[in-house]
Amino acid sequence: MNRRAPLVALVGVSGISALGLAMTLLAIPWFVLRVSGSGTQTALVAASETLGLLVSAVFGGPVVDRVGARRASIGADGLTAMAVAAVPVAHATLGLSLPGAVVLTFAMGLTRGPADTAKQVLVAEAIALAGTSVERGTGSFEGGRRIGTMLGAPLAGALIATIGPVPVLYVDAAALLLSAVLVLTLVPRPPTAPPPTATFSDNGYMRHLRDGFRFLRHDRLLLALTAMLLVTNAMDGGLNGVLYPAYGARVLHSSTLLGALITASGVGALTGATLYGWTGHRWSRRAVFALCFAVVGAPRFLLLAVGPPPALLLPALVICGLGSGMLTPVMMAVVYDRIPSRLQGRTLSLIVACALAAIPVGQLAAGVLLDHVGLAPALLVFGCTYFAATMFPFTFPVWREMDTRCSPQGPEANDGGARATAQSRPD
């Protein structure tokens, strides 16, 4: 098999998964908001998937390391497809109540989390196999995700307008199954079989979980990155899960136009990810990270609060999207550079868990603000909070470590959490 084939396959899988996810993120809140008319209920359903992601991120990382990223990705995508398909099936047969929607979206998050972590580990392995730079590999993977999001949002908007939001979920389920098949057929098995699956009765499972905590706790830059993601992900969660659907329903009065707004951000993000993938190795990671967060953060909320006509809003969101597209590749480049391969599953999952922990709070806060003070004031509150968070990389010296290129071997499992030492990357 061509050395680049697994990386190319994973870029395709990233796009297909993102297409389905973008449709789900638009269809479920739109459905709940249309049926209930309540921002709080919409926030509860959106937050339930995030809670599922959080639980799976905390406990799923060691399983990904133990059973192998390839096997975990295939199995988790299959389970997520079943959970997604259960929503339209329940709606068509028994009727979908609010508690039922909460339970099913929680199940989606519970199974989607390990799939995402496993794919991130697979990408690191594929980059090494392809012999390409980490910036180019992560930029390509992020570009695939952005293409899927860019296509999924308008497709979801058009389908919601024609057949309704619930049947759209069948498309997401099909996309997840296709992702599992592609990984099964195009991503090769590791050269050695993974160790047996850990269980909660096995001390090895909890030891592996502690290893991830220990490594994360003693890396100051990863801790700072995680803390910043706590704030920004909460704001993004409230925007994507509550405020964007409310803007589409109450200001634009069109799911198609809402899809177009998300697509505009996706166009900019795709351009940014592509640009970083090809030229990012020449730039300061810290400078890219700080400037991109400043571009993508508060300006989006201010734009929506002002409410310009779509002809002005669309190009503005394209510009904001440029920063968004570069952020994930630069963050993943730092993460892959600092975390040893043997700890990537458990440590990545913990970073994701910490980043996810505040999202339900942000979604619920957005729902409450939407119901009590209105859409524009809620957007302004979220924008100001986002702006404060984007000042962190300009303020604290620890962020300078983003430009330290290293290949850590990581703390040994029984070393009591000693700091990892930076070493030169071997050829």
Side-chain angles (χ1 to χ4, degrees):
M1 178 180 290
N2 188 292
R3 293 175 59 190
R4 295 179 180 269
L7 181 58
V8 173
L10 288 169
V11 170
V13 166
S14 173
I16 293 169
S17 299
L19 183 145
L21 177 60
M23 299 180 76
T24 300
L25 289 177
L26 192 60
I28 289 182
W30 192 279
F31 169 73
V32 176
L33 194 61
R34 188 183 70 177
V35 171
S36 68
S38 168
T40 302
Q41 289 191 23
T42 304
L44 282 172
V45 173
S48 64
E49 181 175 8
T50 305
L51 287 173
L53 282 167
L54 176 59
V55 172
S56 65
V58 171
F59 294 105
V63 174
V64 172
D65 283 336
R66 292 293 295 272
V67 307
R70 180 177 179 272
R71 188 181 301 172
S73 176
I74 295 168
D77 274 341
L79 291 173
T80 307
M82 294 172 60
V84 171
V87 174
V89 169
H91 177 71
T93 55
L94 303 175
L96 189 62
S97 63
L98 177 63
V102 167
V103 170
L104 289 175
T105 52
F106 177 82
M108 291 179 205
L110 196 65
T111 53
R112 199 186 293 270
D116 292 342
T117 299
K119 289 180 180 64
Q120 289 169 345
V121 175
L122 287 173
V123 167
E125 298 171 354
I127 289 172
L129 178 64
T132 189
S133 68
V134 67
E135 286 84 4
R136 185 163 295 181
T138 56
S140 299
F141 186 76
E142 177 66 6
R145 187 177 75 85
R146 294 295 180 175
I147 290 174
T149 301
M150 184 176 64
L151 297 176
L155 180 59
L159 290 176
I160 288 171
T162 54
I163 63 176
V166 176
V168 172
L169 298 176
Y170 284 120
V171 181
D172 185 16
L176 288 163
L177 289 176
L178 180 57
S179 297
V181 171
L182 289 176
V183 173
L184 177 66
T185 56
L186 298 178
V187 178
R189 292 184 177 88
T192 57
T197 303
T199 65
F200 283 101
S201 62
D202 179 3
N203 289 333
Y205 179 92
M206 300 309 295
R207 176 172 58 81
H208 288 161
L209 195 61
R210 287 194 300 271
D211 286 347
F213 274 114
R214 185 183 299 123
F215 185 87
L216 182 59
R217 188 177 70 243
H218 288 89
D219 191 304
R220 295 190 312 146
L221 177 59
L222 292 182
L223 276 179
L225 179 65
T226 304
M228 185 170 178
L229 290 177
L230 277 168
V231 180
T232 58
N233 277 13
M235 301 300 99
D236 286 332
L239 176 64
N240 295 328
V242 179
L243 299 180
Y244 253 143
Y247 190 86
R250 300 183 182 183
V251 178
L252 301 175
H253 306 290
S254 169
S255 62
T256 304
L257 277 178
L258 178 59
L261 295 187
I262 298 173
T263 300
S265 297
V267 169
L270 174 60
T271 304
T274 303
L275 182 62
Y276 184 80
W278 286 100
T279 63
H281 61 282
R282 305 174 186 172
W283 304 343
S284 161
R285 289 175 177 174
R286 180 194 181 202
V288 172
F289 182 83
L291 291 175
C292 287
F293 251 128
V295 169
V296 76
R300 288 177 302 160
F301 294 91
L302 179 60
L303 281 167
L304 294 173
V306 172
L312 296 178
L313 184 57
L314 289 170
L317 289 177
V318 170
I319 296 173
C320 292
L322 288 171
S324 176
M326 295 187 187
L327 280 174
T328 298
V330 74
M331 285 190 289
M332 293 312 301
V334 171
V335 166
Y336 290 151
D337 210 29
R338 299 180 74 90
I339 304 175
S341 58
R342 64 186 177 84
L343 294 174
Q344 281 182 357
R346 66 203 82 170
T347 309
L348 274 170
S349 68
L350 290 173
I351 293 173
V352 171
C354 293
L356 288 172
I359 292 183
V361 178
Q363 291 170 328
L364 291 172
V368 172
L369 286 172
L370 179 64
D371 285 343
H372 289 85
V373 301
L375 179 59
L379 287 165
L380 290 174
V381 170
F382 271 56
C384 290
T385 306
Y386 212 121
F387 176 79
T390 59
M391 294 298 101
F392 293 170
F394 294 102
T395 306
F396 300 104
V398 67
W399 293 96
R400 296 172 187 164
E401 294 182 24
M402 293 188 79
D403 291 320
T404 302
R405 310 295 174 105
C406 58
S407 181
Q409 298 307 308
E412 294 301 322
N414 299 318
D415 69 354
R419 288 186 58 83
T421 57
Q423 301 179 2
S424 298
R425 182 180 297 279
D427 293 332

